[in-house]
Amino acid sequence: MSPILQGGGGALVLLFGLLTLLVQLAIIVWIYSDAQQRSDQPAFLWAIVAFLAPLLGLVLYLIIGRR
């Protein structure tokens, strides 16, 4: 059996979770700062959208959020 399947994959799962969290936070921060400069809508609303649905929020912001 693979070491990951035997219980040794806990650190790998934790690392993947932390990496995912960091990417999501980076998306939220980038959307907020970019929306302050390039959007007619309030930046905090775009940050909320990105918080609730990070990838979908990013796509929506890039399509309809920027001037």
Side-chain angles (χ1 to χ4, degrees):
M1 240 189 201
S2 168
I4 292 175
L5 296 177
Q6 293 177 348
L12 184 63
V13 171
L14 180 63
L15 181 64
F16 180 74
L18 288 174
L19 182 62
T20 303
L21 179 65
L22 287 175
V23 169
Q24 289 177 347
L25 289 174
I27 289 171
I28 293 168
V29 169
W30 180 81
I31 287 177
Y32 180 78
S33 63
D34 194 65
Q36 285 181 326
Q37 300 170 2
R38 299 182 186 206
S39 180
D40 295 331
Q41 295 92 10
F44 73 92
L45 290 179
W46 280 114
I48 291 171
V49 170
F51 175 76
L52 295 175
L55 293 178
L56 179 62
L58 176 62
V59 171
L60 287 174
Y61 175 70
L62 291 174
I63 293 172
I64 63 174
R66 299 174 98 184
R67 283 185 258 159

